[in-house]
Amino acid sequence: MALAHSLGFPRIGRDRELKKAQEAFWKGELNEAGLRDVGRELRKVHWDLQKNAGIDLLPVGDFAWYDQVLSHSLMFGVIPERFRPHDGKATLQTLFSMARGVSNTCCGEGHAQEMTKWFDTNYHYLVPEFSVDQHFHLGWEQLFEETEEARALGHNVKPVILGPLTYLWLGKTKGADFDKLDLLDRLLPLYGQIFARLAALGVEWVQIDEPILVLDLPQDWKNAFERAYNQIQRDPLKKLLATYFGGLEENLGLAANLPVDGLHIDLVRAPDQYPTILDRLPTYKVLSLGVVNGRNVWRCDLQNALATLRHAHERLGDRLWVAPSCSLLHSPVDLGREDQLDAELKSWLAFAVQKCEEVAVLAQAVSEPEAPQVLRALAQSRSVQTSRAASPRIHKPEVQTRVAAITARDAQRQSPFAQRIAKQRGKLDLPLFPTTTIGSFPQTAAIRLARQAYKQGKLSAADYTDAMHTEIRHAVEIQERLGLDVLVHGEAERNDMVEYFAEQLDGYVFTRFGWVQSYGSRCVKPAVIFGDLSRPQAMTVEWIRYAQGLTNKVMEGMLTGPVTMLMWSFAREDVSREVQARQLALAIRDDVNDLEAAGIKIVQIDEAAFREGLPLRRAQWPAYLEWASAAFRLCASGVRDETQIHTHMCYSEFNDVIESIAAMDADVITIETSRSDMELLEAFEAFAYPNDIGPGVYDIHSPRIPDVTEMVGLLRKAAERIPVERLWVNPDCGLKTRGWPETEAALVHMVSAARQLRKEWA
Ligand code: GLN
Ligand code: ZN
């Protein structure tokens, strides 16, 4: 018998109950007891769902009021001074202040803890802040309370806790400079205390997550693993060390030999760890194989997974456990909820509940291959695999032929930048320090209401178009009044920069309830790429043509790039990311070309997710960067030299990817720089980045309106690093989250700053 277990379940609820309760609590519409009731009910439902699906050992500790890393910070007493409660006792209020910041004067000011991406997922965690004199103490009872709660419900549970090394790795040091690894010896005793308390509650196994074992680790961190686990070894409980999101590679020996009782590995991301692992694993250890993808929405190929499991079972017997590849936090909750997907498509999908069923049936199949349930599941899986493999809805010969015919020439502009920019300057006739914006203008309540009414059928298509035209006219009038040089239409008609395009492409499908937590109460519902992608008709041309018709100034076309489309969708597993990016690129290229044909002189292709697509391991970077920049060039290279291609990237780390950014060969790149005080331009200067750059001169994340001198100061700094004829003037990012008054005020200042610089350089 192989044991079926789960590494973690989504906490948001089938109908995003947690989100609704959190937000009601923050607004004061729900009291703490009410919020806690919702949490308790969700945990109960989620354990039942997993148990009914056939999971033998249920996770506890995967529920969090905001984020699981934040829960650990409270558990370890890692509360930054600005949030520390007077009596030392952290409350839910403390937790939410750390997550969201506080600005009331009674209890002190405090900006929220920094948030960043959880490995290469779209989940964001709250970064722990460590001080040089950091003390750790048990300061939060949640894990024990929830363990008791589960035990009282009669469940067989396995508490889940972040390992000490991963927890330290995820944090950052504050104040005096020091090595956070020095904190390890202070942190370790807490694990002993926690395990002792869990043991007293009748727990047998604990899952210790150490996903950093799939990263390129410095030697001192590797050494620290041995030291830490030699110490933890003495603590009570059986320990399952969980790794996921990649292969252990050179850390395989280290991970296999740590003195714990079991190891979980991700065979979806890194199938080649098997069977190597069998020869490295000590014979007393449990091996948990993650064979069902915890990060996607596709049904598992059971036959395929079972082949590995059977082989492993021969070697391991009862020491084999079966699991999803990682926590199911990253997949939507329950496919059963989808009432509008056609039956065929639905038969291809599996959400968290269904993934648990897959894990359970695989575990059963290992020892009871003839059980009717097993035979039924295998037959069904086989029929899904064959129907997908042959489906004309997925496989489009015209798309594949077109992708196969792509040549290097297609991904290369006609002439080098120097020649292009000369022609573009002649045609565009822009002043020095040309001003522009990133694309979106405020998404007002009126816009959202119109879109909602249109979707509900309460507003006709013609009336909706009229409403959007009114918004575009408004945006154009304001930009003309402000004296901006290159105008945008404002993106009023777009709900979201990916969904808007996905809705218009063949090969994408949308779920109704496929929500996944992004951070706190924020959930996203990524579109699903299920088949070969193509563009049945032009996507943006009519809107941009309308906008251009309103002004004599240059109107920019605005598109989302292939890498961003891909990263923010659920992608296919039957073809590579690279191929999907190429298909997307061809569709976007067609829109770029159509815009040019409609007389549009500048087209921007946003690649907000270019950097976040980077693989976790450095060794895999070059291959990714190569296809990602090639996909961008494929979009951009169907136009004449005179047509100017812009791109935009909203983040601030370019040092390690600058070469690939240059390889994208956009004529103009606009980036986020204001918060880093233009420091980030160092990378561009050091690399001698050859094309035009628009370093953001003001932060759009806050309502603050910087004055003219501040922007002039930033522009002067930029001019020290980048030749002025290649500098553009723009905000850090799109303005959709801002209100109109602050937007206008800030842009007035921005335009004056540009004028002042023009005078200085005249
Ligand atoms: N054009 C988009 C906008 O202005 C870009 C947003 C982004 O890069 N995140 O909103
Ligand atoms: Zn941006």
Side-chain angles (χ1 to χ4, degrees):
M1 198 44 208
L3 180 131
H5 74 119
S6 148
L7 270 56
F9 198 79
R11 55 182 77 110
I12 53 175
R14 277 209 270 205
D15 290 307
R16 288 178 296 155
E17 292 89 338
L18 183 59
K19 170 200 179 69
K20 290 166 194 165
Q22 284 166 320
E23 290 174 358
F25 177 72
W26 297 335
K27 278 193 224 138
E29 291 163 6
L30 183 71
N31 62 20
E32 180 167 334
L35 177 64
R36 288 190 180 276
D37 284 346
V38 172
R40 192 174 316 107
E41 182 59 24
L42 282 172
R43 291 190 295 272
K44 180 176 178 308
V45 169
H46 295 161
W47 285 320
D48 284 342
L49 282 170
Q50 293 172 86
K51 195 171 189 169
N52 294 339
I55 296 294
D56 302 311
L57 191 52
L58 304 173
V60 55
D62 51 349
F63 179 83
W65 292 111
Y66 199 95
D67 157 48
Q68 72 272 14
V69 181
L70 178 62
S71 307
H72 282 79
S73 292
L74 283 144
M75 178 157 70
F76 298 147
V78 181
I79 302 178
E81 180 130 20
R82 61 187 185 282
F83 301 114
R84 222 163 280 164
H86 299 304
D87 61 359
K89 257 193 87 64
T91 61
L92 263 188
Q93 238 10 296
T94 318
L95 182 148
F96 287 132
S97 307
M98 288 164 76
R100 308 173 69 229
V102 275
S103 57
N104 48 0
T105 38
C106 79
C107 324
E109 261 325 285
H111 58 90
Q113 287 193 197
E114 188 189 317
M115 202 163 54
T116 195
K117 275 166 63 79
W118 175 246
F119 296 85
D120 58 353
T121 71
N122 282 329
Y123 178 81
H124 300 74
Y125 73 92
L126 285 149
V127 180
E129 290 178 19
F130 304 128
S131 59
V132 65
D133 59 354
Q134 188 68 53
H135 291 290
F136 300 96
H137 63 91
L138 266 190
W140 193 244
E141 291 290 307
Q142 192 178 342
L143 182 63
F144 311 116
E145 288 165 0
E146 290 172 8
T147 302
E148 263 184 289
E149 187 180 299
R151 302 271 308 160
L153 291 168
H155 295 313
N156 186 15
V157 288
K158 170 193 59 175
V160 179
I161 181 171
L162 273 177
L165 276 314
T166 293
Y167 178 71
L168 288 178
W169 180 272
L170 295 174
K172 62 174 186 186
T173 61
K174 276 285 216 177
D177 194 26
F178 66 100
D179 182 354
K180 58 191 178 183
L181 199 48
D182 293 342
L183 302 176
L184 181 63
D185 291 328
R186 277 181 248 166
L187 176 60
L188 285 177
L190 267 83
Y191 282 80
Q193 294 169 33
I194 292 167
F195 295 163
R197 295 228 6 221
L198 292 173
L201 294 174
V203 163
E204 186 189 0
W205 278 92
V206 65
Q207 171 186 321
I208 310 178
D209 285 3
E210 290 282 15
I212 64 166
L213 281 166
V214 309
L215 305 180
D216 302 314
L217 286 180
Q219 190 57 46
D220 52 342
W221 283 78
K222 293 184 195 175
N223 299 343
F225 262 98
E226 296 195 333
R227 193 152 52 86
Y229 282 85
N230 280 330
Q231 183 168 333
I232 285 183
Q233 179 183 21
R234 287 179 243 138
D235 302 331
L237 296 186
K238 291 188 187 159
K239 302 168 194 81
L240 175 77
L241 186 78
T243 68
Y244 40 81
F245 299 152
L248 289 163
E249 297 181 19
E250 79 289 355
N251 299 331
L252 188 113
L254 170 67
N257 288 302
L258 289 174
V260 290
D261 308 270
L263 174 68
H264 170 86
I265 56 172
D266 181 341
L267 286 194
V268 173
R269 273 296 180 84
D272 48 342
Q273 309 189 81
Y274 191 89
T276 327
I277 184 69
L278 292 181
D279 297 325
R280 307 293 292 273
L281 197 77
T283 51
Y284 66 87
K285 277 195 189 181
V286 158
L287 180 63
S288 162
L289 296 181
V291 288
V292 171
N293 195 345
R295 293 184 53 173
N296 211 329
V297 290
W298 303 106
R299 268 197 186 225
C300 176
D301 180 344
L302 296 182
Q303 211 70 41
N304 193 26
L306 193 53
T308 308
L309 293 175
R310 282 208 176 114
H311 180 263
H313 191 244
E314 271 170 30
R315 288 277 295 265
L316 300 164
D318 286 353
R319 291 191 290 119
L320 172 68
W321 289 13
V322 185
S325 59
C326 60
S327 168
L328 297 168
L329 176 66
H330 312 289
S331 70
V333 183
D334 187 1
L335 183 67
R337 207 67 189 77
E338 295 298 329
D339 46 11
Q340 281 173 20
L341 278 176
D342 67 82
E344 184 183 37
L345 240 160
K346 198 169 164 181
S347 76
W348 297 339
L349 300 174
F351 294 177
V353 172
Q354 291 70 36
K355 287 170 189 292
C356 288
E357 290 166 359
E358 292 179 328
V359 166
V361 84
L362 283 169
Q364 190 188 3
V366 165
S367 44
E368 298 170 47
E370 300 301 327
Q373 251 158 303
V374 169
L375 294 176
R376 213 175 318 124
L378 285 174
Q380 213 174 45
S381 170
R382 241 189 320 268
S383 102
V384 164
Q385 298 308 325
T386 28
S387 98
R388 285 194 64 192
S391 168
R393 292 174 74 182
I394 294 184
H395 308 278
K396 308 259 178 64
E398 13 14 299
V399 177
Q400 290 167 11
T401 315
R402 203 173 160 206
V403 168
I406 296 170
T407 63
R409 219 32 232 116
D410 296 328
Q412 199 187 332
R413 296 288 298 267
Q414 285 166 3
S415 312
F417 173 75
Q419 287 168 39
R420 297 195 308 263
I421 195 74
K423 294 188 197 170
Q424 292 163 14
R425 284 193 185 128
K427 194 168 159 198
L428 293 169
D429 192 26
L430 295 170
L432 210 52
F433 298 99
T435 53
T436 189
T437 56
I438 306 303
S440 58
F441 275 120
Q443 281 269 333
T444 58
I447 297 177
R448 280 196 296 269
L449 282 175
R451 181 155 46 241
Q452 210 179 346
Y454 172 52
K455 286 207 163 164
Q456 292 167 348
K458 292 180 190 152
L459 195 68
S460 71
D463 288 344
Y464 174 70
T465 305
D466 279 349
M468 294 302 115
H469 280 173
T470 307
E471 296 295 336
I472 294 173
R473 274 199 309 278
H474 179 235
V476 170
E477 272 162 29
I478 290 181
Q479 293 174 85
E480 291 206 313
R481 178 151 44 77
L482 294 172
L484 284 154
D485 301 304
V486 171
L487 310 196
V488 296
H489 79 299
E491 303 181 23
E493 81 288 6
R494 301 186 189 175
N495 37 354
D496 169 280
M497 63 189 287
V498 170
E499 191 175 327
Y500 177 77
F501 291 95
E503 277 173 347
Q504 302 189 67
L505 290 169
D506 276 352
Y508 262 107
V509 69
F510 292 83
T511 63
R512 281 189 77 199
F513 304 97
W515 296 99
V516 179
Q517 187 179 20
S518 171
Y519 61 87
S521 70
R522 192 174 150 74
C523 300
V524 293
K525 189 158 65 64
V528 178
I529 304 178
F530 73 90
D532 289 335
L533 295 154
S534 60
R535 185 196 76 144
Q537 59 198 31
M539 302 184 284
T540 61
V541 178
E542 282 317 313
W543 297 111
I544 305 296
R545 198 206 303 268
Y546 175 81
Q548 181 68 84
L550 301 169
T551 178
N552 293 325
K553 295 222 164 157
V554 181
M555 175 61 60
E556 243 180 298
M558 196 60 60
L559 297 160
T560 300
V563 177
T564 304
M565 291 292 298
L566 184 64
M567 293 303 159
W568 292 350
S569 306
F570 280 121
R572 283 168 75 177
E573 285 171 353
D574 56 335
V575 291
S576 66
R577 291 201 297 167
E578 175 176 356
V579 166
Q580 295 172 74
R582 278 205 209 122
Q583 295 181 353
L584 285 162
L586 288 173
I588 296 159
R589 175 185 172 106
D590 290 346
D591 240 51
V592 176
N593 296 353
D594 286 349
L595 285 164
E596 178 186 67
I600 301 302
K601 301 189 183 97
I602 301 184
V603 180
Q604 177 171 315
I605 307 166
D606 290 321
E607 278 294 25
F610 189 85
R611 194 177 197 289
E612 67 180 61
L614 278 176
L616 293 173
R617 294 274 190 174
R618 278 267 176 179
Q620 292 160 14
W621 282 24
Y624 162 76
L625 290 168
E626 177 69 32
W627 67 252
S629 65
F632 179 88
R633 288 197 311 273
L634 186 57
C635 302
S637 300
V639 293
R640 293 189 305 268
D641 285 347
E642 289 78 2
T643 299
Q644 188 167 71
I645 300 290
H646 288 212
T647 191
H648 166 71
M649 295 186 185
C650 31
Y651 41 77
S652 38
E653 283 171 65
F654 285 97
N655 281 305
D656 41 14
V657 290
I658 187 78
E659 204 177 324
S660 309
I661 303 290
M664 289 166 72
D665 198 25
D667 298 305
V668 182
I669 181 170
T670 58
I671 54 176
E672 171 176 333
T673 33
S674 73
R675 283 187 290 186
S676 76
D677 205 24
M678 297 283 156
E679 266 172 29
L680 128 81
L681 286 178
E682 272 170 33
F684 287 81
E685 186 189 24
F687 181 77
Y689 181 84
N691 303 6
D692 282 17
I693 308 179
V697 294
Y698 84 88
D699 177 18
I700 57 90
H701 300 89
S702 106
R704 187 174 155 270
I705 299 160
D707 55 30
V708 181
T709 31
E710 192 176 321
M711 296 196 210
V712 166
L714 286 174
L715 282 170
R716 286 197 190 122
K717 276 196 186 168
E720 285 166 16
R721 299 193 185 274
I722 311 289
V724 291
E725 58 285 356
R726 292 206 273 111
L727 271 179
W728 286 65
V729 180
N730 46 263
D732 269 345
C733 192
L735 297 158
K736 59 177 162 241
T737 57
R738 301 266 62 95
W740 269 113
E742 65 203 66
T743 295
E744 281 195 60
L747 291 177
V748 167
H749 291 178
M750 188 183 90
V751 171
S752 328
R755 289 188 177 141
Q756 189 169 325
L757 262 100
R758 267 171 222 157
K759 268 196 220 124
E760 289 174 16
W761 287 88

